[in-house]
Amino acid sequence: MSSMNSIFREGENCWVTSQVAHAAPLIDGADYYRALHSSIVKAKHSIFIVGWDIDSRIRLLHGEEEANAEAPSVISDLLKWKAEQNPDIKIYLLRWDSSLAFFAQREMWAKEVWEEKTPDNVTTELDDTIPMGGSQHQKVALIDDEVVFSGGMDVSTNRWDTRDHPVESEDRDGPDGTYTPLHDVQMVSSGPVVKEFSKLVRWRWVRVSEHEPIDIRADANTDINADTPDTWPDGVDSWMKKCDCALARTIPLMDDAEPVQEVRNMLLDLISQAEHVIYIENQFTSRVEIAEALNKRLHECPTLHVIVVSSYEPKGKFECEAFWAGRIDFKNALEKDIDPERVIMTYSSIEDIKGRKAYKRIHSKVMSIDDKYLVIGSSNISNRSMTLDTELDTILFGNNEHNRKAIARVRDDLLAEHTGRDVESTAKLMQEDNPAQAIMQGQIAHGYVLTEVRDEVFTDQSGKNFFKALSDPEEPLIPAIEVASEKLPPLRNPRRRTVMILLGVLVLAAFGGAIWYASHAIPWLNAENINDFLEKSRGTYFALPTVLMVYVVGGFLFFPVTVLSLAVAAIFGPIWGPIYGMLGALLSSASMFGIGMLLGNAGLRKVGGPKVEALDNKLKSTGIVGVAAIRMLPIAPFSLVNLVAGISSITLWQFLTGTFLGMFPPMIAKGLVGDSITQIFRNPSPQTIGYLVGGIVLWGLMIWGSQKFAKWYQARKEKAKSEECVA
């Protein structure tokens, strides 16, 4: 460390102390993703990505940058490209396992998806070791053990945005459509501190994986006096050089880890050092202990001012009653007996010249203490981030004039973005006697402005204790217990795979129970009654509508289509029976296909995972012929095939055409069989028995022929595809 003394104390308010040779903030998603893409392209030895989420669908580049890039933009395509380009490189992806609470946002079958999309030198693991109610919240990308990205950003949905944060943007596109402006901060570093990140990500990896990671590179460029290493991202200038730093963690009690609250201790210690201005921007501010520490320092130091930037509006009831209700308590504790002009808690919003409004969502986790310290990390100012989640913050110390100016510049740059100003004018405002009021005055119309929060419009706090216990707890939902004077680790979050299997069993059990109940509770739901019902319509104008209704209702109740077809043929004969049956089967197919589409759009396609995606691809590649082959082969219930087809992306026209081609020939055979059965009962003769035997043989031959044709067609398609690839 330098001759200037920092407050860093290893084992108390930080894990390790170190130095960065070079460091720079990456403000907002576009800048971070661009830099990450650049470093991944340059990687030669190893890539580690540890995150709350790692979504395979994310585009790192947009627009012209994407069009002109030498490597793919989508993260899964990029890592596949890198792994195939350099078979010796090792790529490790470690993502939090529990994702059911974020079903709409996250890939349900993340491990399987990544394994499907990438070669063997890309290894994916899901971390399920966090206590129940907690999350894996550290966000780190390590390239070749010489460049590290850390902070508040994951490679996840609804994160990408540019620094100007337009009111509307087609590029801000997530699973639920376009999203509102989003602000975040990551940092990129090189130098001795990277060695510590290398140890951390490997420790995280070996806890959950049977695969040993690659050793830390002995020849990595981590010297404090070195220039930026080869994998430093293009277009990123170094802001801080030879800067002292520390890494602070939150780690809950786990099987092989004692609890650590370095982040909490660090923030309390940093606040005690402030003299002029504390700047905070954070997704959540609900930890009243931090507010009380700020209030105490404001009383001790009359020249101190506090500026807090967070989001305007909560997402959902849990966020509202846990974090926004908690922010009311935070604000009250912060401002208690303090001149209100010394403290502002704000959000950033815009109303453009067209009258369109937007509220910037703050996802960053940043704090600056004058020009002495800068925190860029993953920790929210919440109860869970101080005790229950895994967190990691980097704290930079202004050990010389250059680095102190850089710390102030980061703060001024962020405030300039939030208030629609340039950095130079913002820097002047921050030097005034009351920077909190100076920054709020004279903001430019039609640009982004800061406005003081009024959270009472969202909640009366009546439900905060219940929601806080679930969404912002200090302890696991099921805490550790002591047995024979030994404290056992708390229960983990349930594995995603386990929960999904249980949900699948429950759904199947409920469906089976409903079918069983219907078959016993609905008197007419049997073959004999359906025959009687159809028999009464024969020879009337209601014959066809009756058949169509029976097929549709039978489809919804998963009644066997073969039984219906034989019944219709027996009643309406070998000509009209197959015609009526085919029309009924098509209408039933279309109805169940529509239900499948609705279920797929509601998320069932995501729950199905890569296996359903593979089946979907086969359906699309074989098209009408594939559907026809499936229809001829008795491999799955009629209604189930209709549902699955609706969930897939094959078109209704293709599906119905394939259904007709696949079902009509067997329908004719069933017509002969059904009519022959009727004739046998009416006139048992060698001729009617011969028709029955002939119909059954024809039916069997069609099934056998369809199998042969399907195999031949599939082999032909694969051969043509391989010849095309060779060409």
Side-chain angles (χ1 to χ4, degrees):
M1 303 295 292
S2 70
S3 58
M4 294 183 62
N5 293 323
S6 71
I7 61 166
F8 302 154
R9 300 188 308 279
E10 292 184 1
E12 296 182 30
N13 64 12
C14 64
W15 171 45
V16 292
T17 58
S18 188
Q19 289 179 298
V20 296
H22 300 274
L26 300 168
I27 303 174
D28 293 316
D31 285 0
Y32 170 45
Y33 285 177
R34 182 189 305 112
L36 180 62
H37 186 278
S38 176
S39 289
I40 289 175
V41 168
K42 295 179 178 184
K44 296 179 181 178
H45 303 279
S46 64
I47 298 170
F48 286 82
I49 301 179
V50 176
W52 179 86
D53 189 17
I54 310 170
D55 195 300
S56 70
R57 302 165 294 180
I58 300 305
R59 292 162 57 205
L60 300 182
L61 304 177
H62 290 247
E64 290 185 7
E65 290 180 338
E66 184 175 33
N68 297 329
E70 64 174 290
S73 170
V74 175
I75 183 68
S76 54
D77 296 336
L78 176 63
L79 293 180
K80 176 184 178 183
W81 172 85
K82 172 54 66 174
E84 291 176 343
Q85 179 199 58
N86 180 4
D88 293 328
I89 197 171
K90 301 297 182 183
I91 300 175
Y92 305 91
L93 308 178
L94 179 61
R95 172 192 187 267
W96 179 40
D97 181 85
S98 299
S99 59
L100 290 175
F102 303 92
F103 176 84
Q105 299 177 30
R106 307 182 72 187
E107 291 178 303
M108 289 305 301
W109 300 96
K111 181 177 173 63
E112 292 81 358
V113 167
W114 277 104
E115 288 175 348
E116 288 272 339
K117 292 184 176 181
T118 54
D120 292 341
N121 51 339
V122 179
T123 310
T124 305
E125 295 289 356
L126 304 180
D127 191 340
D128 66 340
T129 63
I130 313 303
M132 187 174 294
S135 71
Q136 193 309 100
H137 208 240
Q138 296 172 341
K139 303 146 193 300
V140 178
L142 177 70
I143 313 296
D144 282 357
D145 289 319
E146 62 184 18
V147 165
V148 65
F149 300 88
S150 62
M153 267 189 272
D154 291 292
V155 181
S156 185
T157 58
N158 296 5
R159 297 287 192 267
W160 185 93
D161 202 0
T162 52
R163 291 215 62 184
D164 58 337
H165 301 289
V167 175
E168 297 177 359
S169 171
E170 293 182 357
D171 285 321
R172 290 199 305 258
D173 188 23
D176 300 320
T178 56
Y179 53 92
T180 56
L182 185 126
H183 170 78
D184 213 331
V185 178
Q186 197 85 339
M187 67 180 291
V188 57
S189 308
S190 67
V193 73
V194 180
K195 295 178 183 178
E196 311 305 332
F197 279 98
S198 297
K199 297 173 187 175
L200 178 75
V201 298
R202 285 168 171 83
W203 174 74
R204 293 298 309 272
W205 183 265
V206 298
R207 294 183 63 253
V208 299
S209 178
E210 297 176 357
H211 306 283
E212 284 292 326
I214 191 172
D215 291 337
I216 298 175
R217 283 180 61 205
D219 61 341
N221 181 359
T222 57
D223 188 84
I224 186 64
N225 296 308
D227 292 333
T228 54
D230 293 340
T231 50
W232 185 267
D234 292 337
V236 176
D237 296 327
S238 173
W239 287 38
M240 298 165 193
K241 299 177 180 179
K242 300 182 183 181
C243 183
D244 296 340
C245 68
L247 300 181
R249 306 164 301 168
T250 298
I251 296 178
L253 176 64
M254 297 184 288
D255 291 343
D256 58 346
E258 290 298 316
V260 169
Q261 296 183 6
E262 296 155 358
V263 168
R264 170 178 171 265
N265 296 333
M266 176 63 76
L267 294 183
L268 294 174
D269 288 346
L270 288 174
I271 290 167
S272 70
Q273 301 296 302
E275 296 177 351
H276 182 57
V277 60
I278 295 176
Y279 173 67
I280 298 170
E281 61 175 50
N282 205 283
Q283 182 181 13
F284 301 129
T285 51
S286 59
R287 179 79 174 182
V288 173
E289 179 188 32
I290 300 298
E292 291 172 344
L294 290 167
N295 179 268
K296 178 184 178 182
R297 186 57 183 167
L298 284 162
H299 280 287
E300 293 172 348
C301 185
T303 60
L304 180 63
H305 302 79
V306 175
I307 302 170
V308 181
V309 179
S310 193
S311 300
Y312 168 66
E313 149 178 71
K315 291 183 177 180
K317 188 70 172 178
F318 278 86
E319 191 168 275
C320 178
E321 297 303 329
F323 296 105
W324 263 244
R327 194 163 73 178
I328 293 175
D329 293 338
F330 186 96
K331 188 172 186 286
N332 291 336
L334 171 59
E335 296 176 343
K336 185 179 180 181
D337 300 326
I338 294 294
D339 180 354
E341 293 194 348
R342 295 175 60 197
V343 178
I344 54 169
M345 289 190 64
T346 67
Y347 62 88
S348 183
S349 64
I350 188 173
E351 182 174 357
D352 65 15
I353 57 176
K354 296 181 181 179
R356 299 175 302 178
K357 292 183 178 180
Y359 300 94
K360 191 187 300 180
R361 179 79 175 178
I362 303 297
H363 192 263
S364 48
K365 302 93 171 56
V366 174
M367 177 185 290
S368 68
I369 306 296
D370 301 324
D371 59 358
K372 300 176 187 175
Y373 296 96
L374 174 65
V375 182
I376 297 178
S378 68
S379 306
N380 291 307
I381 301 180
S382 62
N383 295 319
R384 62 183 308 120
S385 283
M386 300 298 118
T387 60
L388 183 57
D389 294 342
T390 58
E391 304 283 7
L392 181 66
D393 290 356
T394 303
I395 305 92
L396 300 162
F397 174 51
N399 55 335
N400 55 47
E401 184 177 358
H402 172 85
N403 290 327
R404 286 195 297 273
K405 287 182 177 179
I407 290 172
R409 179 185 167 196
V410 173
R411 175 199 64 201
D412 299 341
D413 196 331
L414 293 169
L415 275 168
E417 178 188 304
H418 298 317
T419 60
R421 296 185 172 100
D422 59 52
V423 178
E424 290 73 19
S425 60
T426 303
K428 292 179 181 178
L429 294 175
M430 296 306 293
Q431 298 306 313
E432 295 193 10
D433 292 338
N434 191 329
Q437 291 305 306
I439 204 73
M440 296 294 287
Q441 296 169 1
Q443 298 184 76
I444 303 170
H446 305 311
Y448 272 97
V449 296
L450 288 177
T451 306
E452 191 167 357
V453 299
R454 293 285 184 265
D455 291 326
E456 292 78 7
V457 302
F458 298 112
T459 173
D460 61 4
Q461 296 185 293
S462 58
K464 71 174 184 178
N465 291 332
F466 171 76
F467 288 98
K468 178 181 176 181
L470 293 176
S471 292
D472 192 24
E474 292 188 65
E475 297 289 336
L477 297 183
I478 300 179
I481 57 174
E482 288 192 15
V483 177
S485 301
E486 183 179 352
K487 195 170 186 178
L488 299 178
L491 289 179
R492 301 175 174 183
N493 283 311
R495 290 186 177 184
R496 169 197 49 83
R497 184 187 296 274
T498 302
V499 174
M500 291 306 300
I501 290 173
L502 290 174
L503 286 175
V505 169
L506 288 174
V507 169
L508 289 174
F511 180 73
I515 296 298
W516 179 88
Y517 176 80
S519 66
H520 288 75
I522 303 175
W524 52 264
L525 190 59
N526 59 63
E528 183 178 350
N529 288 332
I530 289 174
N531 279 345
D532 292 342
F533 184 66
L534 290 171
E535 184 74 42
K536 291 176 182 178
S537 70
R538 188 173 64 171
T540 71
Y541 292 111
F542 302 105
L544 179 58
T546 301
V547 172
L548 297 180
M549 182 185 71
V550 167
Y551 267 91
V552 171
V553 174
F556 283 119
L557 297 175
F558 275 63
F559 195 83
V561 71
T562 298
V563 175
L564 287 178
S565 301
L566 290 172
V568 169
I571 293 169
F572 295 100
I575 297 177
W576 289 109
I579 294 174
Y580 284 179
M582 192 68 246
L583 292 173
L586 289 174
L587 184 59
S588 180
S589 297
S591 301
M592 295 301 289
F593 184 94
I595 299 297
M597 283 187 66
L598 293 175
L599 292 174
N601 292 336
L604 198 56
R605 186 181 290 111
K606 178 187 284 189
V607 174
K611 300 304 179 186
V612 166
E613 184 179 351
L615 177 60
D616 182 18
N617 291 331
K618 288 183 180 179
L619 274 175
K620 285 191 295 182
S621 64
T622 55
I624 293 172
V625 175
V627 174
I630 291 172
R631 285 306 193 193
M632 289 182 180
L633 301 173
I635 58 174
F638 174 75
S639 294
L640 182 61
V641 171
N642 298 334
L643 273 177
V644 172
I647 293 169
S648 76
S649 51
I650 193 171
T651 66
L652 178 60
W653 178 86
Q654 286 179 309
F655 182 63
L656 292 182
T657 303
T659 295
F660 176 81
L661 294 175
M663 289 190 69
F664 196 57
M667 194 74 76
I668 296 172
K670 292 175 188 177
L672 289 173
V673 172
D675 183 62
S676 299
I677 292 173
T678 304
Q679 296 302 324
I680 286 173
F681 280 104
R682 293 177 180 174
N683 180 25
S685 66
Q687 185 179 9
T688 55
I689 295 174
Y691 280 136
L692 176 61
V693 173
I696 293 174
V697 171
L698 179 60
W699 190 356
L701 287 173
M702 286 184 174
I703 292 174
W704 177 81
S706 66
Q707 289 177 324
K708 292 293 184 182
F709 177 76
K711 290 179 180 178
W712 171 81
Y713 182 78
Q714 190 65 32
R716 182 184 174 189
K717 290 276 288 185
E718 291 176 359
K719 182 180 179 182
K721 186 176 181 181
S722 63
E723 289 175 352
E724 182 180 340
C725 291
V726 171

